[in-house]
Amino acid sequence: MDYDKLFANQLDALREEGNYRIFADLERRCGSFPRAQNYHEGGAREVTVWCSNDYLGMGQKPSVMQAMKDAIDHCGAGAGGTRNISGTNHYHLLLEQELADLHAKEAALLFTSGYVSNWAALSTLGSRLPGAVILSDALNHASMIEGIRHSRAQKKIWAHNDVEDLDRKLAECDPDAPKIVAFESVYSMDGDIAPIAEICDVAEAHGAMTYLDEVHAVGMYGPHGGGVSEQEGVADRVTLIEGTLGKAFGVVGGYITGSAELCDFVRSFASGFIFTTALPPAVAAGATVSIKHLKQSDLERAQQRRQVAQLRAKLDAHGIPHLMNPSHIIPVMIKDPVKCRQIADILMDDYGIYVQPINYPTVPKGTERLRFTPGPLHTDADIDHLVGALSALWSQCALSRAVA
């Protein structure tokens, strides 16, 4: 059997649909973010990155980088093992204390990524709580969906951000069964925000625990960067808050926070925690400094909010359609996979603007988009250049403009 032919057939189908993914070969330039070097067949060129999840540029913060360098000099490169077998470094424990404090919880537990923390925590809770039912928001991230699937627990999917539907689904459950309401704060593709307080009201009325993914919100919202739950003053009502170190905090890794018993439970039973090598100590050191900084500094968040508002206003002025939402994510709607790819390529080739096209299966067919994430280090001139390029392409590609 020709297995490569089987692989190629499906890859060809992706290309025909316009959904084949091409990775840009980038080299971030220390100290010049959001500029990066893009390597391509013709050589190399400087581009401006408009789709980074390093939302606040903390990945290039001198204090964060210095902490990582110091930790390497002190401890070496890797952790040397799993957390259970020689891999728990003092830097990990300091970071877990910092994360627990960030979310005003008793404890925290580190994972190698936000994907792994969702997968491991949800699969463990669903499989180890007898008779558990997991109620999942319809637009939850793939990592949450995989964790729920792996748990083999009964699941119910409730309509996106629809508290009344959640209430109906919970009422259908056995009142004595453990119930887990799993949802996100900021949804990364549409940029909308969950009604966390109302979800907690319904969950509490039915005796359910709440599992909140704050990966696109930590560092970004709340007076200390604790996320939307901190901003709305409801973090104490959420049973488990999950987050990442790989977006606003600028490094890599994932975590959960909650009661000491909950974190110890996941620590003791989650295969995704037990059997994987721990994060390098240098990563933990850098994350700790980043979190501490954003706990006391609102400068980065304030400048980021300014640039988001400015980009939205200029898109509106040029009739470039984008989804309105209360978050930092600006989805510019193309609604065609081929045009989405073409526009992204022209932006890169002709204007030095890098934004990744977002196509199916990340978003439903017919909702293809360019997802922009303005940061505090994007200049006003960068914004003008981007909007001018988009406006020219809207005319060139005969795309409909938004009506003011």
Side-chain angles (χ1 to χ4, degrees), residues 330-342:
I330 303 179
V332 169
M333 305 306 291
I334 309 298
K335 300 184 180 180
D336 178 275
V338 175
K339 284 187 176 180
C340 200
R341 175 80 262 172
Q342 288 175 341

Side-chain angles (χ1 to χ4, degrees), residues 127-193:
S127 63
R128 300 291 307 191
L129 295 176
V133 182
I134 302 179
L135 298 100
S136 177
D137 184 283
L139 294 187
N140 275 343
H141 189 263
S143 58
M144 302 175 79
I145 294 168
E146 284 298 319
I148 294 166
R149 182 180 295 138
H150 185 75
S151 76
R152 298 185 179 179
Q154 181 185 354
K155 68 176 180 182
K156 290 178 178 287
I157 299 173
W158 48 288
H160 177 55
N161 280 346
D162 188 332
V163 178
E164 292 181 359
D165 189 51
L166 173 62
D167 189 35
R168 286 191 294 270
K169 295 290 197 307
L170 280 166
E172 296 169 358
C173 299
D174 179 349
D176 295 325
K179 294 171 283 292
I180 304 164
V181 176
F183 63 108
E184 303 179 36
S185 58
V186 177
Y187 286 83
S188 63
M189 289 301 114
D190 287 349
D192 55 336
I193 294 178

Side-chain angles (χ1 to χ4, degrees), residues 61-280:
K61 187 79 172 175
S63 58
V64 173
M65 294 189 295
Q66 190 60 52
M68 297 182 74
K69 293 173 185 176
D70 291 345
I72 285 178
D73 290 342
H74 190 63
C75 298
T82 66
R83 289 289 297 272
N84 183 48
I85 303 177
S86 83
T88 294
N89 188 281
H90 189 56
Y91 285 107
H92 296 131
L93 300 182
L94 293 175
L95 175 54
E96 286 173 339
Q97 292 170 15
E98 200 67 43
L99 289 164
D101 179 73
L102 175 66
H103 296 293
K105 299 295 185 186
E106 291 180 346
L109 189 67
L110 282 174
F111 292 84
T112 50
S113 73
Y115 191 104
V116 173
S117 55
N118 267 334
W119 179 88
L122 280 166
S123 64
T124 300
L125 292 168
S127 63
R128 300 291 307 191
L129 295 176
V133 182
I134 302 179
L135 298 100
S136 177
D137 184 283
L139 294 187
N140 275 343
H141 189 263
S143 58
M144 302 175 79
I145 294 168
E146 284 298 319
I148 294 166
R149 182 180 295 138
H150 185 75
S151 76
R152 298 185 179 179
Q154 181 185 354
K155 68 176 180 182
K156 290 178 178 287
I157 299 173
W158 48 288
H160 177 55
N161 280 346
D162 188 332
V163 178
E164 292 181 359
D165 189 51
L166 173 62
D167 189 35
R168 286 191 294 270
K169 295 290 197 307
L170 280 166
E172 296 169 358
C173 299
D174 179 349
D176 295 325
K179 294 171 283 292
I180 304 164
V181 176
F183 63 108
E184 303 179 36
S185 58
V186 177
Y187 286 83
S188 63
M189 289 301 114
D190 287 349
D192 55 336
I193 294 178
I196 300 175
E198 290 85 349
I199 290 170
C200 288
D201 289 342
V202 171
E204 290 164 2
H206 292 275
M209 66 176 285
T210 42
Y211 182 111
L212 175 60
D213 175 321
E214 287 257 41
V215 297
H216 289 276
V218 290
M220 303 291 292
Y221 301 88
H224 305 98
V228 178
S229 57
E230 184 197 26
Q231 178 176 276
E232 297 184 356
V234 294
D236 61 313
R237 299 178 63 190
V238 180
T239 313
L240 182 154
I241 296 175
E242 184 266 351
T244 185
L245 307 172
K247 294 184 171 61
F249 294 131
V251 287
V252 67
Y255 64 89
I256 63 169
T257 64
S259 69
E261 289 80 4
L262 188 158
C263 291
D264 196 22
F265 178 82
V266 176
R267 181 191 72 89
S268 299
F269 293 111
S271 63
F273 174 83
I274 295 169
F275 297 108
T276 193
T277 300
L279 285 172

